[in-house]
């Protein structure tokens, strides 16, 4: 497996992760992060609007999800298009060499309310991105919302399972299984 | 209809809403908010951990949702328990005299990313609260997650419809209809 060569944005994220682990989010400045990454403060702000943003990248995930939904076969039902999207995230973002970083990142976010807030907002952005892409396939608004919501739940479940390093599955396979489980649970839900 | 008599926490929220409307979130301090409400800064911090929190109350909504789910009839299916929860929110929180405040609050949040972030985190808290209450009914974890997620989507839809003052429906009736629609969309979702 080729060694992962991080770009500037990824070097800043890795530096920030190390510093947040070592001394906490509050006690780390943007200058500290830039210095650790061997970059300047102005480079930091070219990539990220503020300190909270550094662990949340460049919206690559929202784009990857949306592009895969739009590109899914014309005959694919809404949740099948969502399955394509989760698999694309596994191929393009949550690759095996990113697993350790993801596990550490998840632990740091869980320890810092400021980062949980940003993550919550990013999560809504992912759901909105999937919803929008589904409507562009001609799927009615409410069906698109529901499919995106179920997809977001599957994404959360698979991310937790996959970033747990004790578990050896690839992201894409685990994603399809999680989506199958979520779909089965939603279909087996009478109300009366 | 009896005139609404706000308590300290509600007076602070109303003062904050006015100030955010008049001069923006960034240009309003906690002291400004306390002064407008005729209260002190220390009273503010007894009610709210920070300035972002002032429009997000005291977690009454999370408690109301959870209590109603736990109290729903033993025979109620998961989404029926969720319907009880949304109706309880309509009876106890989103009463007709709160509609105008809610519409203004929604507009202010939409205009300020800091408030959107807090709202996103609070939204996850509501979903978690419903999930937890459903599992306390003995419902399996994944089914509880899915039912709570569908309930959260219905809550978002009904809140948007209800706080739009052009629409005359009560919250509880609108909530049950939104949940019916969300459930129908989720059941009518093949994947293959």
């Amino acid at each position: 497996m080729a060694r992962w060569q991080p770009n500037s944005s990824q070097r800043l994220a890795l530096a920030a992760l190390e510093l947040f682990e070592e001394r906490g989010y509050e006690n780390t400045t943007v200058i500290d992060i830039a210095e650790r990454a061997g970059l300047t403060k102005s480079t930091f702000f070219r990539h990220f609007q503020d300190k909270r943003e550094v662990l949340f990248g460049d919206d690559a995930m929202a784009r990857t999800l949306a592009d895969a939904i739009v590109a899914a076969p014309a005959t694919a039902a809404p949740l099948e298009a969502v399955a394509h999207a989760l698999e694309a995230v596994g191929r393009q973002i949550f690759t095996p060499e990113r697993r350790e970083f993801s596990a550490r990142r998840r632990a740091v976010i869980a320890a810092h309310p400021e980062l949980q807030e940003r993550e919550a907002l990013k999560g809504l952005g992912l759901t909105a991105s999937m919803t929008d892409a589904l409507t562009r396939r001609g799927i009615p608004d409410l069906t698109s919302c529901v499919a995106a919501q179920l997809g977001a739940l599957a994404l959360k479940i698979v991310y937790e399972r996959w970033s747990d390093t004790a578990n050896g599955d690839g992201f894409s396979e685990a994603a399809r299984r999680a989506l199958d489980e979520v779909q089965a649970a939603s279909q087996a839900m009478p109300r009366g």
Side-chain angles (χ1 to χ4, degrees), chain A residues 133-147:
Chain A
L134 288 162
T135 59
R136 281 190 276 150
R137 292 176 65 83
I139 297 164
D141 285 357
L142 184 62
T143 303
S144 296
C145 278
V146 171

Side-chain angles (χ1 to χ4, degrees), chain A residues 163-174:
Chain A
S163 63
D164 168 0
T165 51
N167 181 325
D169 278 2
F171 188 93
S172 297
E173 302 74 53

Side-chain angles (χ1 to χ4, degrees), chain A residues 17-29 32-33 36 112:
Chain A
L17 184 66
E18 288 173 7
L19 290 163
F20 297 165
E21 286 172 340
E22 288 164 22
R23 56 176 91 154
Y25 175 85
E26 281 299 336
N27 301 318
T28 301
T29 67
D32 295 335
I33 296 167
R36 175 72 64 104
H112 294 94

Side-chain angles (χ1 to χ4, degrees), chain A residues 5-192:
Chain A
Q5 293 293 342
N7 59 26
S8 297
S9 149
Q10 289 164 336
R11 277 163 62 195
L12 288 162
L14 187 55
L17 184 66
E18 288 173 7
L19 290 163
F20 297 165
E21 286 172 340
E22 288 164 22
R23 56 176 91 154
Y25 175 85
E26 281 299 336
N27 301 318
T28 301
T29 67
V30 165
I31 293 174
D32 295 335
I33 296 167
E35 271 178 8
R36 175 72 64 104
L39 297 166
T40 64
K41 185 177 158 187
S42 66
T43 301
F44 182 98
F45 284 114
R46 265 204 303 281
H47 288 284
F48 305 110
Q49 63 187 356
D50 57 23
K51 188 174 74 168
R52 286 188 186 203
E53 190 72 8
V54 67
L55 295 185
F56 297 95
D58 48 5
D59 295 326
M61 185 123 94
R63 271 201 315 277
T64 301
L65 289 166
D67 289 351
I69 286 172
V70 170
T75 54
L79 281 179
E80 181 60 23
V82 169
H84 280 261
L86 301 191
E87 288 174 338
V89 166
R91 277 194 312 276
Q92 295 169 38
I93 298 178
F94 295 135
T95 52
E97 64 272 25
R98 297 288 285 167
R99 191 203 293 253
E100 188 223 330
F101 176 86
S102 296
R104 288 169 57 196
R105 175 181 174 280
R106 200 177 135 215
V108 162
I109 292 171
H112 294 94
E114 302 90 337
L115 297 175
Q116 287 168 33
E117 251 182 27
R118 183 60 52 91
E119 184 172 55
L121 189 63
K122 293 287 174 179
L124 292 188
L126 298 181
T127 305
S129 178
M130 286 192 278
T131 303
D132 178 63
L134 288 162
T135 59
R136 281 190 276 150
R137 292 176 65 83
I139 297 164
D141 285 357
L142 184 62
T143 303
S144 296
C145 278
V146 171
Q149 202 82 25
L150 297 176
L153 178 58
L155 189 58
K156 176 173 172 282
I157 290 170
V158 65
Y159 181 71
E160 286 171 7
R161 287 181 185 165
W162 172 81
S163 63
D164 168 0
T165 51
N167 181 325
D169 278 2
F171 188 93
S172 297
E173 302 74 53
R176 195 169 265 277
R177 201 165 54 247
L179 192 60
D180 282 342
E181 292 169 17
V182 166
Q183 180 178 28
S186 74
Q187 303 253 313
M189 189 124 35
R191 202 172 107 204

